[in-house]
Amino acid sequence: MATDATTTKFQNPTDFRPDFHSEKVSSATSYDGLHFWQYMISGSIAGLVEHMAMFPVDTVKTHMQAIGSCPIKSVSVTHVLNSLLKSGGPSSLYRGIAAMALGAGPAHAVHFSVYEVCKKHLSRDNSNSSIAHAVSGVCATVASDAVFTPMDMVKQRLQLGSDSVYKGVWDCVKRVVREEGFGAFYASYRTTVLMNAPFTAVYFATYEAAKKGLTEISPESANDEKWVLHATAGAAAGALAAAFTTPLDVVKTQLQCQGVCGCDRFKSGSIGDVIKTIVKKDGYRGLIRGWIPRMLFHAPAAAISWSTYEASKSFFQELNDNSNSDNVT
């Protein structure tokens, strides 16, 4: 019977027209109907929008965490903000934004694309697996940190120093290479990974769980208000993960800002040595310096990032659907 059906179906040889184009699209598509490069562009756009929108808050956080003889010693957000505005005006809040742009775009492209690919392969039969989301997030952060860490170091040094310290991104890069060597760009990489691994695990697991919970609470409005769903879940995930990992973020800032504006230099990149120095100078409260602006940064930043990322994905999905429908016709 099966043989008869097959022969009947293709009695006329011209009826058999295999769609090689569809097969090609399917094999080139990695997940959710998108190509790998489309994830990278979506992630890059999300990262740039997120960091540029929240950059002034990040500058305040960096000043609060940099312990040393820097001009700003207060741990109060308002005092730091007033001191920055008084000393350099509104532009002082945006020192280092060029370095951030150079690092954030490529790093977020790597981050989101690796996350999506890992989530596809690890989730398999269970798309709601928190463990798969957490592990995917850790893999994504290890890859993206290797891209972002050098420019993050340059960004933080520019945030702390006035124009008399560094004239710009290229001047900072040249002086660091000449005076400290190339390894200085990755002095905080180990700390950054150790910080961002739990950060990302908490972040992605919370994000996916919150998104699922919000969808179950109001399934009828999930599609109509999709950007609100992503923004709310992202904000909750960002705030929780930021609070959880603040001590390691303080250590990272100390390692990246060594010798700038009077900040301490460390003989080794040991996390333990840096923690001892912080506790000795400022007590255990020094390990949570900047936690308020860190949460104020990551909650809205995560909401901005995820809503932008999902909007970019939706654009590409619609583009692909239209392209496929045109090919069919």
Side-chain angles (χ1 to χ4, degrees):
M1 182 69 70
T3 308
D4 293 341
T6 306
T7 34
T8 303
K9 188 175 181 181
F10 299 117
Q11 283 178 351
N12 187 352
T14 58
D15 290 341
F16 179 64
R17 296 175 182 174
D19 190 353
F20 294 108
H21 180 78
S22 295
E23 186 177 350
K24 184 178 179 181
V25 170
S26 176
S27 62
T29 303
S30 55
Y31 190 67
D32 272 356
L34 295 185
H35 297 282
F36 189 79
W37 64 267
Q38 291 172 327
Y39 284 120
M40 297 191 78
I41 292 178
S42 299
S44 182
I45 293 170
L48 286 171
V49 172
E50 167 199 345
H51 282 279
M52 292 186 76
M54 302 304 301
F55 195 81
V57 181
D58 184 62
T59 299
V60 171
K61 183 213 73 170
T62 298
H63 277 272
M64 292 179 69
Q65 290 182 343
I67 303 166
S69 57
C70 298
I72 298 170
K73 299 179 181 179
S74 171
V75 293
S76 165
V77 174
T78 53
H79 287 170
V80 171
L81 183 59
N82 289 335
S83 297
L84 280 168
L85 293 174
K86 187 176 180 179
S87 63
S91 62
S92 63
L93 295 172
Y94 290 91
R95 288 195 196 111
I97 195 168
M100 178 280 300
L102 289 171
H108 278 73
V110 171
H111 187 95
F112 280 105
S113 54
V114 170
Y115 173 70
E116 293 285 3
V117 171
C118 289
K119 186 173 75 168
K120 174 192 174 184
H121 288 93
L122 294 175
S123 296
R124 297 195 177 182
D125 297 332
N126 183 9
S127 61
N128 294 319
S129 170
S130 295
I131 294 176
H133 296 152
V135 173
S136 299
V138 172
C139 293
T141 202
V142 171
S144 63
D145 283 343
V147 177
F148 189 56
T149 296
M151 279 297 110
D152 188 48
M153 185 272 277
V154 173
K155 178 210 72 173
Q156 287 201 308
R157 292 195 177 202
L158 292 173
Q159 285 175 321
L160 282 183
S162 62
D163 293 337
S164 60
V165 180
Y166 295 114
K167 295 177 182 178
V169 175
W170 182 235
D171 180 57
C172 181
V173 170
K174 286 192 297 183
R175 286 181 56 183
V176 169
V177 172
R178 184 173 64 248
E179 297 169 8
E180 304 173 49
F182 184 79
F185 291 108
Y186 284 94
S188 69
Y189 179 66
R190 180 174 55 183
T191 306
T192 301
V193 171
L194 288 175
M195 173 188 72
N196 282 340
F199 176 95
T200 312
V202 172
Y203 180 93
F204 278 113
T206 304
Y207 170 76
E208 297 287 355
K211 189 172 68 171
K212 180 186 175 185
L214 290 169
T215 303
E216 290 176 350
I217 291 172
S218 182
E220 66 281 354
S221 62
N223 290 326
D224 296 335
E225 300 177 1
K226 197 172 184 179
W227 70 271
V228 177
L229 176 73
H230 293 300
T232 305
L240 183 62
F244 186 73
T245 56
T246 294
L248 283 171
D249 189 52
V250 176
V251 173
K252 184 203 77 169
T253 299
Q254 286 287 296
L255 287 170
Q256 293 192 157
C257 298
Q258 297 180 61
V260 179
C261 208
C263 295
D264 293 316
R265 282 197 177 277
F266 301 96
K267 294 180 180 179
S268 70
S270 167
I271 296 173
D273 289 344
V274 178
I275 290 175
K276 287 177 184 177
T277 302
I278 293 171
V279 172
K280 184 178 180 180
K281 295 185 71 171
D282 201 42
Y284 285 102
R285 67 173 185 168
L287 293 172
I288 57 170
R289 272 183 181 248
W291 72 272
I292 293 176
R294 180 166 163 78
M295 289 187 68
L296 289 175
F297 175 92
H298 280 287
I304 293 168
S305 178
W306 274 108
S307 53
T308 304
Y309 178 63
E310 294 293 344
S312 299
K313 280 175 60 179
S314 296
F315 168 78
F316 282 122
Q317 284 169 342
E318 186 175 347
L319 194 68
N320 291 345
D321 290 342
N322 292 337
S323 177
N324 290 336
S325 62
D326 290 342
N327 290 326
V328 169
T329 56

